[in-house]
Amino acid sequence: MSLLLDNQFKELPPDKSVDTKLFLETVSHIPAFFDCLGSSVFSVIKSDINGNITKIRGVYLKDPAKYVTLQDILVAEREAHAAEWPKVGATLALMWLKRGLRFIQILLQSLADGDRDENNPNLIQVNVTKAYQQALKKYHGWFVQRIFQVALHAAPYRSNFLKALSKGEEVKEEDCLANVRQFLVNYTATVDAIYEMYTNLNAELDYTV
Amino acid sequence: MSLLLDNQFKELPPDKSVDTKLFLETVSHIPAFFDCLGSSVFSVIKSDINGNITKIRGVYLKDPAKYVTLQDILVAEREAHAAEWPKVGATLALMWLKRGLRFIQILLQSLADGDRDENNPNLIQVNVTKAYQQALKKYHGWFVQRIFQVALHAAPYRSNFLKALSKGEEVKEEDCLANVRQFLVNYTATVDAIYEMYTNLNAELDYTV
Ligand SMILES: CCCCCCCCCCCCC/C=C/[C@@H](O)[C@H](CO[C@@H]1O[C@H](CO)[C@H](O)[C@H](OS(=O)(=O)O)[C@H]1O)NC(=O)CCCCCCCCCCC
Ligand SMILES: CCCCCCCCCCCCC/C=C/[C@@H](O)[C@H](CO[C@@H]1O[C@H](CO)[C@H](O)[C@H](OS(=O)(=O)O)[C@H]1O)NC(=O)CCCCCCCCCCC
């Protein structure tokens, strides 16, 4: 069951800084999203993302007063680990986490926009592929890209996916998509703000795994 | 670099009971084995196995005097969780861990036995496939089996694999294989003893993931 839509992200302040504590609280509900994909094998992705969150939380909890915003963490790590930064600590964890968050954002947006394969209207492969190409593909080498191709075959049906997003209740598709759109407002703004921060701080890397 | 061969398993006592503390100490060097497979993507398997070890250690540390042997743990869990057992706790973790250990055993044994594809003598796909078929395939659904097929293409060359097993030193192939054979003696006996215990306690399950 996904609690995704129940845990709305907060509206950003005008300076678009992301409050670390609020972010961690809300984002910790995201890994459950991967349960809606059906196969337990997606727990691999869930635990990668959980690992990112745990790492960021670990840094935050060392000094909550110092790390009020996500940017406070990146700036402090840049000073503390000049040689390795940004491939280090919570900066690296958030670099990858934001890509997983972007993947989810584009997937949900694509469903909300009604993108579909007219010949297979109950499949979400087009939406998943769009999200993958825009959010992750360039950071994956041939091996992980081929794993993705296989994983794509295990994507759930659209109807089951939307039902899972609605916690298994039989809600009308339009109602579910209205919830998705509502969810996406602050979520997208938060993910955009994190991407912008990586660009501004020159913290983005494009190595592949 | 693999520390595998440096961390020999101990000889079993005549009753073939496996000492929990010694087992955990030795087996904790196993996850590093997956680093010899080259691609960082195998860290997914490494963390699955690490998770198994962590779970068993967690139970052991709750009462080391009570859980002297692995069998002590299984028997105690059978009593404590009658309804779910054996799909629970350290019993489940060891059920899967032993399959990963068997996979490694068969792979190394097959290399030591000189099994090879005469047309591609520097590939280990035949050895990896043999290990997979005997140790894991029946517990994997179609999805994970296809992931395995893809992963197989990322297996390292035989020469690089043997070199990694020898901690990157240029040792003669025959010397490395002699070390492998030496390692396999107590290792195989330990893995066999764990399998026997699962059979005797009727603790084995054959559901697929
Ligand atoms: C039995 C045979 C088995 C054979 C072996 C099989 C191997 C299977 C491989 C599966 C790959 C799983 C995906 C995980 C990929 C991860 O490798 C990457 C990078 O992961 C990052 O790496 C960093 C170091 O470079 C740090 O360790 C980060 O950790 S740190 O916190 O320590 O800094 C970590 O997140 N994350 C990613 O690419 C993120 C993925 C996000 C979500 C993707 C959604 C896709 C959904 C698809 C739905 C159809
Ligand atoms: C970007 C797109 C990404 C798309 C998504 C990709 C998904 C990739 C999927 C990769 C599968 C990785 C292999 C892991 C499989 C695991 O699912 C299984 C069962 O794992 C067990 O499950 C139990 C519950 O049923 C408990 O949770 C156990 O945990 S518990 O401790 O909590 O009880 C846990 O170990 N372990 C296994 O099958 C064991 C595998 C052992 C080693 C195999 C060696 C193979 C080497 C091959 C070399 C060529």
Side-chain angles (χ1 to χ4, degrees), chain B:
Chain B
M1 263 9 100
S2 163
L3 297 168
L4 191 64
L5 307 182
D6 277 348
N7 291 281
Q8 299 279 335
F9 280 62
K10 302 293 172 291
E11 202 182 331
L12 291 181
D15 70 355
K16 294 195 189 162
S17 64
V18 183
D19 183 275
T20 309
K21 186 156 181 273
L22 281 177
F23 175 75
L24 286 171
E25 272 167 24
T26 330
V27 88
S28 66
H29 298 283
I30 291 279
F33 169 83
F34 288 93
D35 297 336
C36 340
L37 293 177
S39 172
S40 63
V41 172
F42 291 112
S43 63
V44 163
I45 295 174
K46 189 174 166 179
S47 69
D48 196 67
I49 291 185
N50 259 326
N52 299 150
I53 297 171
T54 303
K55 188 153 276 175
I56 301 167
R57 187 183 291 117
V59 171
Y60 171 68
L61 289 177
K62 272 190 203 144
D63 194 345
K66 182 174 173 193
Y67 301 127
V68 172
T69 68
L70 292 176
Q71 176 144 343
D72 294 331
I73 296 182
L74 267 67
V75 170
E77 289 192 333
R78 184 175 57 184
E79 275 172 36
H81 311 278
E84 310 127 279
W85 194 86
K87 202 172 180 174
V88 70
T91 305
L92 180 63
L94 184 59
M95 191 189 305
W96 281 100
L97 176 59
K98 74 179 177 14
R99 293 168 185 165
L101 297 179
R102 183 72 102 192
F103 173 89
I104 293 170
Q105 175 208 323
I106 298 172
L107 172 59
L108 294 178
Q109 188 67 58
S110 173
L111 289 165
D113 291 347
D115 294 342
R116 44 166 115 196
D117 176 352
E118 295 303 339
N119 297 319
N120 297 291
N122 201 23
L123 297 185
I124 61 170
Q125 268 75 4
V126 283
N127 316 278
V128 175
T129 301
K130 182 178 183 178
Y132 184 68
Q133 284 172 344
Q134 294 185 19
L136 284 164
K137 191 176 179 192
K138 70 179 278 206
Y139 308 107
H140 287 165
W142 70 268
F143 180 29
V144 180
Q145 288 188 17
R146 281 200 51 193
I147 300 272
F148 171 79
Q149 290 302 333
V150 175
L152 195 55
H153 293 289
Y157 288 114
R158 180 188 162 86
S159 49
N160 291 342
F161 183 69
L162 293 178
K163 192 173 161 188
L165 280 180
S166 312
K167 290 180 286 173
E169 288 159 30
E170 284 293 354
V171 297
K172 285 209 210 78
E173 178 173 319
E174 254 326 302
D175 294 342
C176 177
L177 291 178
N179 288 337
V180 166
R181 285 188 199 97
Q182 175 55 41
F183 171 79
L184 282 171
V185 178
N186 292 336
Y187 179 73
T188 303
T190 303
V191 177
D192 284 349
I194 297 171
Y195 269 82
E196 243 178 77
M197 173 176 78
Y198 271 76
T199 305
N200 293 340
L201 295 177
N202 211 357
E204 185 66 356
L205 294 176
D206 61 3
Y207 74 96
T208 58
V209 290

Side-chain angles (χ1 to χ4, degrees), chain A:
Chain A
M1 256 15 95
S2 162
L3 296 168
L4 191 65
L5 307 183
D6 277 350
N7 290 281
Q8 299 279 334
F9 280 62
K10 302 292 172 291
E11 202 181 330
L12 291 181
D15 69 356
K16 293 195 189 164
S17 63
V18 183
D19 182 275
T20 308
K21 185 155 181 275
L22 282 176
F23 175 75
L24 286 171
E25 272 168 23
T26 329
V27 88
S28 65
H29 298 283
I30 291 279
F33 169 83
F34 288 93
D35 298 337
C36 342
L37 292 177
S39 172
S40 63
V41 171
F42 291 113
S43 64
V44 162
I45 295 174
K46 190 175 165 176
S47 69
D48 196 68
I49 291 185
N50 258 325
N52 299 150
I53 297 172
T54 303
K55 188 153 276 175
I56 302 166
R57 187 183 292 117
V59 170
Y60 171 67
L61 290 176
K62 271 189 204 145
D63 195 344
K66 183 175 171 192
Y67 300 128
V68 172
T69 68
L70 293 175
Q71 174 143 344
D72 294 331
I73 296 182
L74 267 67
V75 170
E77 288 192 335
R78 183 175 58 184
E79 274 172 36
H81 311 278
E84 308 127 281
W85 195 86
K87 202 173 182 175
V88 70
T91 304
L92 181 63
L94 183 60
M95 191 189 306
W96 281 100
L97 177 59
K98 74 179 176 16
R99 293 168 185 165
L101 297 179
R102 182 73 100 191
F103 173 90
I104 294 170
Q105 174 209 322
I106 297 171
L107 172 58
L108 294 177
Q109 187 69 58
S110 173
L111 289 165
D113 291 348
D115 293 343
R116 43 166 116 196
D117 175 352
E118 294 304 339
N119 297 318
N120 298 290
N122 201 24
L123 297 184
I124 60 169
Q125 267 74 5
V126 282
N127 315 279
V128 175
T129 301
K130 181 177 183 178
Y132 184 69
Q133 285 173 344
Q134 295 185 18
L136 285 164
K137 191 175 180 192
K138 69 179 278 205
Y139 308 107
H140 287 165
W142 69 269
F143 182 28
V144 179
Q145 288 188 17
R146 280 201 51 196
I147 300 274
F148 171 79
Q149 289 301 331
V150 175
L152 195 55
H153 293 288
Y157 289 113
R158 180 189 163 86
S159 48
N160 291 342
F161 182 69
L162 293 178
K163 192 173 161 187
L165 280 180
S166 312
K167 292 181 285 173
E169 289 160 29
E170 285 293 354
V171 297
K172 285 209 210 78
E173 179 174 319
E174 255 325 303
D175 293 343
C176 177
L177 291 178
N179 288 336
V180 167
R181 284 187 199 99
Q182 174 56 40
F183 171 80
L184 281 171
V185 178
N186 292 337
Y187 180 73
T188 303
T190 303
V191 178
D192 283 349
I194 297 171
Y195 269 82
E196 238 176 81
M197 173 176 77
Y198 272 76
T199 306
N200 292 340
L201 295 176
N202 210 357
E204 184 66 354
L205 294 177
D206 61 4
Y207 74 98
T208 59
V209 290

